[in-house]
C-alpha cells in the first residue's frame, strides 16, 4: 500500500472514531442534561427554603434596576431573583448570588424579608480554601447575618450591631459573602422604595 493511501486510511479511521465518540457523547448528554438541570433546580429550591423558611413559594422574576445597581455597587452577580411568597403574598426577596471570595465562583442563596431584614444565608457553591474560606459553609458563620439589615460590615473581631466577625484567615471570603448579602439587601431596599 502506498504511503498516501495509508495516510488516507488512517485519517478515515480517525474520523470515524471521532464521529462515533461525538455521537455517543451527544446521546449521553441528551439523557443526563435534563436530570442535571432538575437536580440543580431542586438544590436551588432547597436553599431558598433554608434562607426564607416562612415562604411556601418562590416566584422567579427579572432583575430590575434596583438589582442591577446593587450588583454594580457590591461587585456581585444575581443569578436568579425570586419573590418569596407565603399564602400568595410577597413576604420577601430571595436571590442566588455569585461573588468573589478568595476564589471566583462563591455562590450564595440569600433571603431578605419585607422589612429588609436578612432571614438566611446558604453557601451553594464555592472553591474556597479547605479549613479557611470553606468554613463559610458553617452555620455559626452564616447565622451572623440573620437579623441584620441595610449595609452589613465586616470586623476582624468585636463586630458591632450591623457587622459580622470575619473568619480567621479568611477575610476575603467573609467580605465576599457579605458583598453577596449586601447585594440582596440593597436590591430589596431599593425595590421597596419604588
Amino acid at each position: 500500500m502506498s504511503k498516501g493511501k495509508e495516510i488516507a486510511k488512517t485519517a478515515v479511521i480517525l474520523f470515524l472514531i471521532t464521529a462515533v465518540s461525538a455521537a455517543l457523547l451527544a446521546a449521553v448528554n441528551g439523557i443526563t442534561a435534563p436530570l442535571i438541570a432538575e437536580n440543580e433546580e431542586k438544590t436551588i429550591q432547597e436553599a431558598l427554603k433554608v434562607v426564607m423558611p416562612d415562604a411556601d413559594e418562590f416566584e422567579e422574576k427579572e432583575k430590575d434596576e434596583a438589582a442591577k445597581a446593587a450588583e454594580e455597587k457590591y461587585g456581585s452577580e444575581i443569578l436568579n431573583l425570586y419573590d418569596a411568597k407565603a399564602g400568595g403574598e410577597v413576604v420577601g426577596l430571595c436571590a442566588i448570588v455569585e461573588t468573589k471570595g478568595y476564589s471566583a465562583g462563591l455562590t450564595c442563596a440569600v433571603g431578605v424579608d419585607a422589612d429588609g431584614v436578612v432571614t438566611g444565608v446558604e453557601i451553594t457553591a464555592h472553591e474556597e480554601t479547605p479549613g479557611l474560606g470553606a468554613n463559610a459553609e458553617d452555620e455559626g458563620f452564616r447565622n451572623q447575618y440573620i437579623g441584620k439589615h441595610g449595609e452589613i460590615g465586616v470586623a476582624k473581631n468585636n463586630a458591632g450591631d450591623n457587622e459580622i466577625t470575619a473568619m480567621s484567615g479568611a477575610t476575603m471570603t467573609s467580605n465576599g459573602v457579605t458583598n453577596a448579602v449586601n447585594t440582596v439587601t440593597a436590591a430589596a431596599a431599593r425595590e421597596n422604595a419604588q
Side-chain angles (χ1 to χ4, degrees):
M1 188 181 293
S2 75
K3 193 170 188 171
K5 286 184 179 180
E6 192 174 313
I7 290 173
K9 180 180 174 186
T10 302
V12 168
I13 291 171
L14 288 174
F15 173 76
L16 290 173
I17 290 171
T18 303
V20 169
S21 296
L24 287 173
L25 284 172
V28 169
N29 184 56
I31 293 167
T32 59
L35 297 173
I36 291 169
E38 183 179 315
N39 285 336
E40 287 175 353
E41 182 59 28
K42 182 179 177 188
T43 300
I44 287 171
Q45 290 298 315
E46 288 170 356
L48 293 174
K49 188 63 180 156
V50 167
V51 302
M52 185 67 70
D54 292 340
D56 52 33
E57 176 186 1
F58 301 96
E59 185 177 295
E60 191 163 6
K61 58 190 264 174
E62 294 293 319
K63 284 189 269 189
D64 57 12
E65 291 306 313
K68 291 174 186 173
E71 286 177 316
E72 187 173 323
K73 180 175 182 178
Y74 294 105
S76 299
E77 180 184 0
I78 297 173
L79 303 176
N80 306 87
L81 190 63
Y82 301 88
D83 276 331
K85 296 183 174 184
E89 296 293 318
V90 175
V91 294
L93 186 71
C94 292
I96 305 297
V97 182
E98 186 174 320
T99 191
K100 184 180 184 324
Y102 183 74
S103 300
L106 176 58
T107 307
C108 308
V110 180
V112 177
D113 71 15
D115 296 323
V117 176
V118 178
T119 57
V121 177
E122 186 80 1
I123 308 300
T124 58
H126 71 84
E127 294 179 17
E128 301 301 291
T129 307
L132 293 172
N135 292 336
E137 292 180 305
D138 293 348
E139 189 175 350
F141 173 74
R142 293 181 293 107
N143 284 349
Q144 292 184 85
Y145 294 95
I146 296 174
K148 302 216 182 305
H149 61 282
E151 186 170 60
I152 301 167
V154 177
K156 288 195 176 190
N157 48 39
N158 300 324
D161 287 342
N162 219 42
E163 295 179 320
I164 59 102
T165 302
M167 292 177 285
S168 180
T171 305
M172 291 175 73
T173 304
S174 301
N175 285 326
V177 175
T178 302
N179 284 337
V181 174
N182 283 335
T183 299
V184 182
T185 59
R190 288 187 177 111
E191 185 176 276
N192 291 337
Q194 294 174 351

